[in-house]
Amino acid sequence: MWGCAAALEYLSAYSYPGFTFECPGNALGREGMTCLNEAGVCPGEAIIAIADACPAAYMNEASNSWVLEGRSNAPIDPYGTCP
């Protein structure tokens, strides 16, 4: 399903706990971005920003949140890109 409502529902169910969500959000020119305490981007925060609310984008970022937290060995962006 497409759109921010679907993205936020999916992220709430499948992202690593403690991340906040922005949709639409500033993903720095990408479809989506997961940011964990990155200086100059999200210092002291855990944020998932979705710029293009397609399933690949929000599914990637949910997975990436687990990777950044060291809880998964999945590749970054395992679902590819938006069509």
Side-chain angles (χ1 to χ4, degrees), residues 2-53:
W2 291 69
C4 282
L8 295 172
E9 183 177 333
Y10 187 91
L11 292 170
S12 294
Y14 296 104
S15 296
Y16 189 86
F19 278 80
T20 57
F21 314 124
E22 299 174 351
C23 188
N26 180 1
L28 303 177
R30 298 183 293 258
E31 295 167 346
M33 175 185 74
T34 301
C35 189
L36 180 61
N37 193 26
E38 184 70 34
V41 182
C42 65
E45 297 180 292
I47 298 172
I48 295 175
I50 303 297
D52 184 352

Side-chain angles (χ1 to χ4, degrees), residues 57-81:
Y58 59 76
M59 291 169 68
N60 280 334
E61 302 316 321
S63 176
N64 294 347
S65 69
W66 290 88
V67 173
L68 290 179
E69 288 286 355
R71 303 298 179 112
S72 172
N73 292 324
I76 295 295
D77 294 345
Y79 299 98
T81 60

